[in-house]
Amino acid sequence: MSGSPLLAELIDALRCLPGVGGKSAQRMAFHLLERERERGLKLASVMEQAMQRIGHCSQCRNFSEDPLCSLCSSSSRERQVLCVVESPTDLAAIEQATGYRGQYFVLMGRLSPLDGLGPEELGLAQLSQRLGEGEIEELIIATNPTVEGEATAHYLAQLARAGGVRPTRLAHGVPLGGELEYVDRSTLAHAFGSRQLLD
């Protein structure tokens, strides 16, 4: 293409990002080289530091530079409520959109035998140990409403009951402000089947 093996390597490296194909990677590489060399160097430096220094919190498994993340070490978080999420992006969404003040446990995936993700890879032995310690009263299961997410939720509910903890599941269904005629069939069926008594 350009005759530069290093440029080809840069484009190929950028393709590792989600949603970035060959054309997008090429545009990014050209943009950095043509207009943003200083920012490109900063990006490279920060990425190198992040890859070397960011690991996982020993308690919740979220990304952290320290052995215990700021959420787990905070004295203002409720210790008796634990919310299980599939990924750090799910944790961030809950933190930004809700007033939830409890603890978290990040699975870093969902049960998917075809992808090689079983209970061990999701840290479920560590979660089971936490549930058995007696401090947690409620396990909020916030996995996605996919086939794998539902299977994971079922497994998590069993773990919670075995540890004497009350499992709850995030509600799924018709979005706030949504109109029934525009909601897809499976979402509407799930919402209809999970209807609740009004007080």
Side-chain angles (χ1 to χ4, degrees):
M1 172 198 70
S2 68
S4 169
L6 190 54
L7 177 56
E9 195 175 340
L10 173 61
I11 292 168
D12 191 51
L14 289 168
R15 291 183 64 187
C16 78
L17 298 170
V20 177
K23 290 275 188 193
S24 294
Q26 183 181 29
R27 276 193 301 275
M28 289 178 190
F30 287 171
H31 178 78
L32 289 170
L33 292 170
E34 290 173 9
R35 295 187 180 93
E36 301 284 352
R37 284 187 181 249
E38 195 171 310
R39 286 187 177 173
L41 289 170
K42 179 165 176 66
L43 173 65
S45 171
V46 171
M47 278 185 77
E48 183 177 10
Q49 288 179 49
M51 294 301 120
Q52 292 174 354
R53 294 178 36 206
I54 295 176
H56 295 279
C57 172
S58 62
Q59 188 169 325
C60 74
R61 296 170 36 108
N62 194 18
F63 291 129
S64 177
E65 294 173 53
D66 300 314
L68 205 61
C69 74
S70 60
L71 293 174
C72 288
S73 60
S74 172
S75 60
S76 66
R77 306 296 294 203
E78 296 176 32
R79 302 263 179 229
Q80 67 275 14
V81 184
L82 183 67
C83 180
V84 178
V85 295
E86 291 182 13
S87 70
T89 55
D90 296 336
L91 185 154
I94 291 171
E95 279 294 295
Q96 291 167 5
T98 71
Y100 178 70
R101 300 296 303 155
Q103 300 275 297
Y104 290 96
F105 189 85
V106 183
L107 298 171
M108 296 295 176
R110 57 190 167 266
L111 290 174
S112 180
L114 294 176
D115 297 322
L117 293 175
E120 186 177 321
E121 289 76 19
L122 302 183
L124 296 185
Q126 180 184 350
L127 176 61
S128 181
Q129 182 180 348
R130 270 186 85 181
L131 294 173
E133 291 171 356
E135 186 176 35
I136 298 166
E137 297 171 7
E138 178 184 4
L139 182 73
I140 301 171
I141 301 169
T143 56
N144 291 308
T146 61
V147 172
E148 295 91 351
E150 291 297 329
T152 305
H154 181 72
Y155 192 97
L156 292 169
Q158 289 179 326
L159 272 184
R161 288 186 196 100
V165 175
R166 180 173 57 106
T168 60
R169 181 88 165 106
L170 288 188
H172 298 107
V174 181
L176 189 63
E179 295 187 30
L180 294 182
E181 67 179 296
Y182 300 114
V183 176
D184 67 271
R185 292 172 64 176
S186 61
T187 301
L188 188 55
H190 190 278
F192 198 80
S194 301
R195 63 192 183 277
Q196 298 175 354
L197 183 67
L198 286 176
D199 294 330

